[in-house]
Amino acid sequence: MLHKEIIGATLIFVLSVTLAWPLGKFIVKVFRGEKNRMDFMSPVEKMIFRISGVNPDKEMDWKQNMKALLGLNLLFFLVAFIILSIQGIIKLWNPAGTGNWEPTLAFNTAISFMTNTNLQHYSGETGASYFTQLAVFTWLQFVSAGTGMAACALLFRGLANRSSGALGNFYNLWLKSCTRILLPLAVILSLILTLNGTTTNFKGLQEVSTLEGETQMVAGGPTAPMVAIKQLGTNGGGFFGPNSTHPFENPNYLTNMAENIAILLIPMALVFAFGFYMKRKKLGIYLFGVMSLLFISFVAVSAWQEVEGNPNFAGMGLEQTVNMEGKEVRIGPVASSLWGVSTTSTSNGSVNSMHDSHTPISGGIFLLDMFINAIYGGVGVGFINFFVFMVIAVFIAGQMIGRTPDFLGKKLEAREIKIAAIVVILHPLFILAGTAISGYLVTANPDLGWLNNPGFHGFSEMMYEFTSASANNGSGFEGLGDDTPFWNIATGIVMLLARFLPIIGPLAIAGSLAAKKQVPQTVGSLQPETPAFASVLLAVILIISALAFFPALALGPIAEYFSF
Amino acid sequence: MKSLRTIFGLTLLTLLLFGMGYPLAMVGLGTVLAPDGARGNPVYQGEKLIGFENIGQDFHSNRYFWGRPSAVGYDASSTGGSNYGPTNPEYLELVKNRIDTLMKYHPGLVKKDIPVDLVTASGSGLDPHISKKAALIQVHRIAQVRKVPENKLRELIENHAENSFFGGPDNYINVLKLNMALDELEIR
């Protein structure tokens, strides 16, 4: 039985790669503005640009593009914040009459969806009206993913340019990422879900008379369209509280496959797209290989731990010890681990099992995955994070051979390395400082009642929350009582900084690289498409994450493991 | 001014397109292509809505097969898991109690035969399934209460065992469907 589940997980991975390759080619066409199959969307796009007074062909440098990105996102936040605060007044699509939100929760949630994080301190079926789910959350799930992809396109262009500062037009790249890449895929996935029994209607709570003669109130609603884009856009914010464990969000094993592939699809495709865009297909494959090596090892460890399960069960006299707490029978432990690793490596954050209830090492793997935050990574931004690791790796490799490092024909100088170093340090800073502060607060005031689990696991709950916020992931150790002003404001600020600083920094690097002249390639130039460079890159990723986070991991998951 | 028009225009138009147009189109299309699926596969008895195929119900009477424990008592309007970590003493106590309850209601049951899905809560709190093993250990109890032969029940379980395609789990059972079939067995 277990063998079959391993084959199933392998199949999901292989299918994702197989679909990502042609999608990568297609994405390059969209990024370059070449003719493509989605050209029929052009009248809609043209109309939107005309009304908004945008000339999509206007070339902009990195600073102009950055201003466009930030300005647009600021308004996204304001619109979301206002709608959430006055939710109860809006009568449209609100059959349950859900009320207004408290300001810190509205602040946290508006940032959460604007930054593509989808950390949820509310529960979908009780807290959000259908209007909010669609006109705020589903909308932001498109446009925030589009923001990430457009930023990635700007980076590609900057690296490909031969001494010109023009990176393209953010508005154009952003809208076309939404209309031509995300929308068609979301339509397909939404239909697959509806066909399999994901509710797609506007009915409110429905009353069921159960076989035993009791009453069960069942929440449904327009679930399929939101689930489709939350999977594809590495958003992760579910329609219902327990996300894709809910039988309406994820009715059977087939939908579980489709949704898991949807998590990985665009992040993987963007790695290949980098290779196609730079006309260095082999480099794309090498980078993909480095990421996949980590990915597959993580899945293997997590699945092995979940199947080994909880040793405490053996002590109670059970023969089976598989860890089924927080898991669904139709999905099983292996597919739960595969999803867990998929969702934490790509900053998606949707779940098909409760991460809080995973075994310590499996939970630790999820944390490590988010510490790295660049294995395939979130749509667009994942690759940008990986690019920062590449810059550091090139620098270190350059130091080893004693020359000024150059990457893809451009010299990397002090300015670029400094920016990359700062960006790399931000992530551990947010996580460790946040965890330390919350750890101090909870120790000083034990009656805060934040933690659902005592001891090491409680520490992991707090660390997971800050890691998830800083990685713009959105999953949680949901036992944490996180709808309090402290958590709403603290994680809100972390999400905001952790979203935009790692976009601005690398784009500044791309902007300055773009304007530099190509240096001639010599025998001494660093060849990135080699096993040697791939090893250096892998080592840099592991050393940075391990060194920064190992002490914290030792206090949480590792200590819990040894307390079994 | 021009940039204000730009960000307002783009924000509102995309909100209309992706926040309202797209979901409305999917609801429309979904309802036409899969009317049953779009409603979440409801199950009716005459006019009366008695459940949804994939939403578990709280079975606790002796006459029915029991489903998995649920952290929310199968409340489908406020769903969720327990979020207990695997070393939490409170959680381990709970599992012990569930084992004891099973032992109490199933005389002759050996502890090591208890399948783990029957003593742990699902993530959604609405898991509609149990393993085949979890159904089989309940046969003796139900046979006595309902006065039906045990092999009849075993046959029923065999007929309801589902397998997943493409490498998913095997041998699991939809508790609602099984219990509906159980009721029909008595009518015939």
Side-chain angles (χ1 to χ4, degrees), chain A residues 4 125 200 325-327 329 453, chain B residues 38 68 79 82 88 121 127 170:
Chain A
K4 192 185 160 201
E125 64 269 33
T200 319
E325 184 70 26
K327 292 193 183 61
V329 169
N453 291 288
Chain B
R68 297 183 63 188
T79 53
S82 71
N88 189 333
D127 195 339
D170 279 339

Side-chain angles (χ1 to χ4, degrees), chain A residues 268-306:
Chain A
M268 283 181 168
L270 280 168
V271 182
F272 294 135
F274 173 73
F276 298 136
Y277 197 102
M278 306 301 294
K279 301 207 165 64
R280 303 179 83 142
K281 203 159 66 178
K282 211 172 147 195
L283 179 57
I285 296 172
Y286 261 102
L287 300 184
F288 188 84
V290 170
M291 298 181 190
S292 299
L293 190 67
L294 290 168
F295 182 86
I296 293 169
S297 331
F298 286 174
V299 175
V301 173
S302 168
W304 163 59
Q305 281 294 307
E306 291 308 293

